[in-house]
Amino acid sequence: MVVKQIIGLILLLSLTACQVKEQQNITSSQEESMKWTMPYGDWNFEFFNPNALPTLVTYVRIVDYAGNILTYNNVDITEYDPESQGHWSNLFRSSQLAYFNKVRLSSQYMIFCWDSIIDMKTYETSLFFPQEVWRKMKTPASYKARSGNTVWYKTMLFGLAPEGKVRVWLQDVGNHPNYPVPVTDLKTVSGNELTICKGITRHTKGYGYTKTTQEFIKDKTYPYGSW
């Protein structure tokens, strides 16, 4: 009888220990997620190109700091900046509300596929985000917006230019210039070097310039500026 009681007690303690361990794992996971959560909720990313030099992003994959892999088969439309002619304007403001391009946690890696119509190529760009980027995005600006609201750096802008050139900023407000994002290992490839972007394009039948692009590049030298 005593033996049975001891065995029963051991099983009870083992079960309790497993439950405690499982609860600790859940709590640990929740704490880890909270560590990489933004104070304003989702952050978003937007793509844009210089005036009359159109691009189109077709696929995005992101790995966040919790180890989640996020895939975007549908991506918000790539905007264009009429002020970016010959060089980037650091005052570009995205005019759209993110529909697809939203992320919940801080992220460590990103890779995306895009068509450059002016280059008539498919590009694959990959990059890593150092943690200082997320510290910046978690810290409000020292000034207020015109509305009086707190200014957060919650929109990441990706500029896509001829020759597969990519620049990254955090969007600011008013006359404050966008903040250059110190990404690391930024790499853009095309052709035989494509990996996940191989065969991903919206221009399977070839590329063509619009009248606007033809008029803009007339008498200009490729790549039509310094990017």
Side-chain angles (χ1 to χ4, degrees), residues 56 58 115 121-122 197-205 207:
L56 180 64
T58 53
D115 288 314
K121 287 183 179 180
T122 295
C197 296
K198 189 174 183 178
I200 298 180
T201 177
R202 298 283 176 81
H203 292 269
T204 55
K205 296 182 180 180
Y207 299 88

Side-chain angles (χ1 to χ4, degrees), residues 186-201:
L186 191 154
K187 181 180 180 181
T188 297
V189 299
S190 63
N192 293 331
E193 295 183 89
L194 295 175
T195 56
I196 72 165
C197 296
K198 189 174 183 178
I200 298 180
T201 177

Side-chain angles (χ1 to χ4, degrees), residues 43 45 47 57-64 69-73 75 107-114 123-129 156 158 160 166 184-189 193-198 200:
W43 62 276
F45 56 93
F47 299 95
V57 179
T58 53
Y59 177 83
V60 178
R61 181 182 296 173
I62 292 174
V63 180
D64 66 27
I69 299 176
L70 314 174
T71 58
Y72 301 80
N73 292 300
V75 183
S107 302
Q108 55 184 318
Y109 176 76
M110 181 177 187
I111 186 168
F112 59 90
C113 311
W114 54 290
Y123 286 114
E124 176 179 302
T125 297
S126 59
L127 60 154
F128 289 86
F129 301 105
M156 192 174 289
F158 291 80
L160 310 177
V166 178
T184 59
D185 297 320
L186 191 154
K187 181 180 180 181
T188 297
V189 299
E193 295 183 89
L194 295 175
T195 56
I196 72 165
C197 296
K198 189 174 183 178
I200 298 180

Side-chain angles (χ1 to χ4, degrees), residues 2-223:
V2 175
V3 174
K4 289 184 178 180
Q5 289 176 337
I6 293 174
I7 293 174
L9 181 59
I10 291 174
L11 291 174
L12 178 61
L13 291 174
S14 298
L15 180 59
T16 303
C18 288
Q19 291 175 335
V20 170
K21 185 176 181 180
E22 182 177 350
Q23 183 62 41
Q24 288 175 337
N25 289 338
I26 293 173
T27 302
S28 176
S29 178
Q30 291 173 338
E31 290 177 350
E32 188 67 18
S33 292
M34 287 298 294
K35 178 180 178 182
W36 302 113
T37 299
M38 297 300 178
Y40 39 78
D42 293 343
W43 62 276
N44 60 286
F45 56 93
E46 300 296 343
F47 299 95
F48 73 103
N49 51 248
N51 183 62
L53 304 176
T55 61
L56 180 64
V57 179
T58 53
Y59 177 83
V60 178
R61 181 182 296 173
I62 292 174
V63 180
D64 66 27
Y65 272 101
N68 301 307
I69 299 176
L70 314 174
T71 58
Y72 301 80
N73 292 300
N74 293 305
V75 183
D76 293 338
I77 189 170
T78 305
E79 300 179 84
Y80 76 95
D81 180 21
E83 301 302 319
S84 291
Q85 299 190 32
H87 59 85
W88 289 114
S89 166
N90 59 11
L91 293 176
F92 173 75
R93 306 291 185 251
S94 176
S95 62
Q96 61 187 357
L97 294 175
Y99 185 76
F100 296 109
N101 303 5
K102 298 179 180 180
V103 189
R104 186 170 64 90
L105 303 180
S106 305
S107 302
Q108 55 184 318
Y109 176 76
M110 181 177 187
I111 186 168
F112 59 90
C113 311
W114 54 290
D115 288 314
S116 172
I117 285 78
I118 195 67
D119 292 343
M120 297 188 176
K121 287 183 179 180
T122 295
Y123 286 114
E124 176 179 302
T125 297
S126 59
L127 60 154
F128 289 86
F129 301 105
Q131 292 188 19
E132 63 183 283
V133 174
W134 310 109
R135 285 194 288 270
K136 180 74 173 179
M137 295 179 75
K138 284 186 174 184
T139 305
S142 58
Y143 42 83
K144 300 287 186 179
R146 183 176 297 179
S147 62
N149 294 330
T150 298
V151 175
W152 295 98
Y153 301 102
K154 59 182 179 179
T155 299
M156 192 174 289
L157 301 171
F158 291 80
L160 310 177
E163 295 186 322
K165 298 294 180 63
V166 178
R167 293 282 300 275
V168 191
W169 302 265
L170 293 179
Q171 180 170 284
D172 215 308
V173 297
N175 293 320
H176 297 281
N178 295 327
Y179 174 78
V181 175
V183 298
T184 59
D185 297 320
L186 191 154
K187 181 180 180 181
T188 297
V189 299
S190 63
N192 293 331
E193 295 183 89
L194 295 175
T195 56
I196 72 165
C197 296
K198 189 174 183 178
I200 298 180
T201 177
R202 298 283 176 81
H203 292 269
T204 55
K205 296 182 180 180
Y207 299 88
Y209 295 168
T210 64
K211 185 177 180 180
T212 300
T213 297
Q214 290 175 342
E215 291 177 350
F216 179 78
I217 66 176
K218 186 179 180 180
D219 299 325
K220 291 184 176 68
T221 302
Y222 178 86

